[in-house]
Amino acid sequence: MTRKTVRIAMNGVTGRMGYRQHLVRSLLALREAGGLALGDGTVLWPEPVLVGRREHALREIAERHSLEHWSTDLDEVLADDSIDIYFDAQVTAAREEALKKAIAAGKHIYTEKPVATGLSGALELARLAQDAGIRHGVVQDKLFLPGLLKLKRLIDGGFFGRILSVRGEFGYWVFEGDWQPAQRPSWNYRAEDGGGIVSDMFPHWEYVLHELFGPIRSVQALATTHLPRRWDEQGNAYEATADDAAYGIFELEGGIVAQINSSWAVRVGRDELVEFQVDGTEGSAVAGLRNCRVQHRSSTPKPVWNPDLPAAYAFRDQWQEVPDNTEFDNGFKAQWEVFLKHVYADAPYHWDLLAGARGVQLAELGLRSSSEGRRFAVPELRLDGTEATR
Ligand SMILES: NC(=O)c1ccc[n+]([C@@H]2O[C@H](COP(=O)([O-])OP(=O)(O)OC[C@H]3O[C@@H](n4cnc5c(N)ncnc54)[C@H](O)[C@@H]3O)[C@@H](O)[C@H]2O)c1
């Protein structure tokens, strides 16, 4: 075995996603497992170079995990030829500019979503990356969730027959921050800082729907701000200018209708924080983060509407749990592995900056749909900027 050290600049590692999901649970977890074997006798050894604005915070993380390299100077890091990959988990508003610099410096790119705050910026990034000939990837972690992997297994196995509809419920109560601290950063609730549930969650719904059920042909959404006042990390009240709930209807190629509610102002009455119910002619499934249950056509009970009598069945008991049949790894780490194999072993990879731009496109059209009260077609994105209506 030959060990190949790959130096990866990681920007935004003091944040929730950068630290926990990408540094600790992905790259450091890969090191704990002995590195990533490429299958040709090479083992990749990720060497994070922490990048950020606050030196003391970076030093503290580096010391906690016995890492040697950190910097507050992005330009200097990007000028370092020993660094192959630039990773970005900064606040959304800071991403586009940093990605542009990294592409110009010839680095391969791996980045959190949304890739930019607007479609034109997102498409430009995809074009620049293609022209520079670099490899690029965008986080699409939900595809690697055990619940959605089981759902994919059902689709691939033909369980549903013809799929009719998808109903998604995502959300939980995010505390306002006055009497209990909020569990999400305050910038998420300020439009001027790149916040908003549409720009945050529609990119996820784009790749989930697209990959599992087919491309999105149209979007109709109603976004709103249920809680207009919140309290920030310092306990100061602020005006929540961004949408904190969105109710969307998406028409997919082939006629499947998907409806997804996203909200940070809803109390959880579900089994999991996100759930998708899929109904097909031959069977139905409800998939969450981890679990997935099914009801086949042959075992579908016949409920009869009669509000005068108590329900005769416990409807939840009429579903059957889909078994794991495998061990599921952390999705963020699993996607890092695929991306690293793409860069260093030429493995196929399609969750790239163009795919990331599709997420931004859906968010942008969703917000327009909401503000104008109209339904919008979602044109197929092309790198040359032309649009084809599907
Ligand atoms: N894939 C997912 O499931 C998922 C989940 C949550 C967030 N995200 C995305 O990850 C990104 C980070 O979200 P988070 O929840 O970790 O946020 P966070 O606020 O916890 O972290 C943001 C990071 O950016 C840095 N930062 C803050 N302000 C900055 C500025 N003005 N300029 C440059 N850097 C700044 C912070 O120091 C921190 O390191 C967002 O783009 C968000 O959309 C993805």
Side-chain angles (χ1 to χ4, degrees):
M1 288 280 183
T2 13
R3 187 157 115 168
K4 177 178 168 60
T5 299
V6 292
R7 302 190 77 213
I8 303 173
M10 300 189 78
N11 200 356
V13 275
T14 59
R16 292 185 320 149
M17 300 312 291
Y19 178 69
R20 176 121 198 91
Q21 299 300 354
H22 293 285
L23 180 64
V24 177
R25 297 192 68 224
S26 293
L27 294 191
L28 296 185
L30 266 178
R31 285 159 58 121
E32 265 165 39
L36 175 66
L38 292 184
D40 62 354
T42 313
V43 173
L44 294 186
W45 183 255
E47 186 64 60
V49 177
L50 311 183
V51 185
R53 298 165 306 158
R54 291 172 293 145
E55 208 208 326
H56 70 276
L58 296 173
R59 189 182 321 115
E60 203 267 311
I61 292 175
E63 282 168 3
R64 194 184 315 152
H65 296 287
S66 307
L67 297 170
E68 285 171 43
H69 309 281
W70 70 87
S71 172
T72 55
D73 188 337
L74 176 61
D75 293 332
E76 192 180 85
V77 168
L78 293 178
D80 183 342
D81 285 338
S82 70
I83 294 174
D84 283 355
I85 297 175
Y86 171 78
F87 168 71
D88 194 296
Q90 296 185 95
V91 291
T92 303
R95 179 157 304 129
E96 190 177 330
E97 190 193 332
L99 290 184
K100 269 191 197 155
K101 279 188 182 181
I103 294 169
K107 307 298 178 200
H108 302 299
I109 301 291
Y110 190 56
T111 177
E112 262 297 349
K113 43 52 65 182
V115 292
T117 49
L119 176 59
S120 61
L123 268 178
E124 192 189 352
L125 286 172
R127 266 186 236 114
L128 290 171
Q130 174 170 274
D131 293 349
I134 56 143
R135 304 256 152 141
H136 42 104
V138 180
V139 174
Q140 302 205 336
D141 53 289
K142 306 292 176 268
L143 294 174
F144 296 81
L145 287 168
L148 291 200
L149 287 170
K150 290 179 201 171
L151 182 56
K152 173 93 168 71
R153 202 197 286 157
L154 293 173
I155 295 169
D156 291 348
F159 169 78
F160 293 104
R162 184 165 63 84
I163 296 178
L164 309 172
S165 62
V166 181
R167 276 148 232 265
E169 272 291 333
F170 162 84
Y172 47 92
W173 192 266
V174 175
F175 280 96
E176 298 88 326
D178 50 351
W179 66 290
Q180 293 198 55
Q183 66 273 43
R184 294 179 59 88
S186 60
W187 67 265
N188 284 185
Y189 303 90
R190 290 189 295 268
E192 61 276 24
D193 291 336
I197 202 162
V198 171
S199 102
D200 194 359
M201 297 313 297
F202 276 33
H204 288 299
W205 307 151
E206 196 286 327
Y207 66 72
V208 166
L209 294 173
H210 191 141
E211 293 257 332
L212 293 181
F213 305 105
I216 299 174
R217 273 203 337 230
S218 80
V219 55
Q220 181 165 18
L222 196 153
T224 188
T225 307
H226 287 306
L227 300 176
R229 190 169 149 92
R230 289 181 173 271
W231 283 258
D232 68 13
E233 290 77 3
Q234 283 71 46
N236 299 320
Y238 65 94
E239 192 190 343
T241 47
D243 44 289
D244 60 10
Y247 307 86
I249 298 178
F250 311 91
E251 230 184 322
L252 311 187
E253 198 155 291
I256 298 174
V257 179
Q259 186 191 336
I260 305 183
N261 296 328
S262 317
S263 178
W264 288 316
V266 64
R267 296 187 175 86
V268 181
R270 286 158 258 136
D271 290 341
E272 304 203 54
L273 294 192
V274 68
E275 280 186 348
F276 298 94
Q277 171 158 345
V278 181
D279 287 292
T281 50
E282 299 297 307
S284 298
V286 177
L289 299 169
R290 303 204 65 81
N291 299 320
C292 183
R293 52 185 193 273
V294 288
Q295 187 170 94
H296 190 256
R297 176 174 186 256
S298 58
S299 57
T300 303
K302 192 190 248 180
V304 178
W305 178 259
N306 186 354
D308 301 330
L309 291 176
Y313 317 99
F315 293 111
R316 285 276 167 83
D317 296 346
Q318 296 166 341
W319 295 69
Q320 187 190 352
E321 207 57 49
V322 176
D324 284 0
N325 288 357
T326 184
E327 271 187 36
F328 295 105
D329 202 354
N330 162 25
F332 288 92
K333 174 167 164 274
Q335 201 186 344
W336 263 105
E337 290 182 8
V338 186
F339 180 70
L340 289 173
K341 286 182 177 164
H342 173 55
V343 175
Y344 294 102
D346 227 10
Y349 188 93
H350 65 277
W351 302 301
D352 58 7
L353 282 168
L354 186 61
R358 279 201 303 267
V360 176
Q361 176 195 37
L362 188 67
E364 202 167 278
L365 288 172
L367 285 172
R368 261 185 81 194
S369 163
S370 180
S371 65
E372 296 179 26
R374 291 169 54 196
R375 178 157 64 120
F376 282 99
V378 180
E380 186 181 337
L381 275 191
R382 292 185 184 152
L383 266 189
D384 63 9
T386 59
E387 289 187 343
T389 307
R390 289 194 184 94

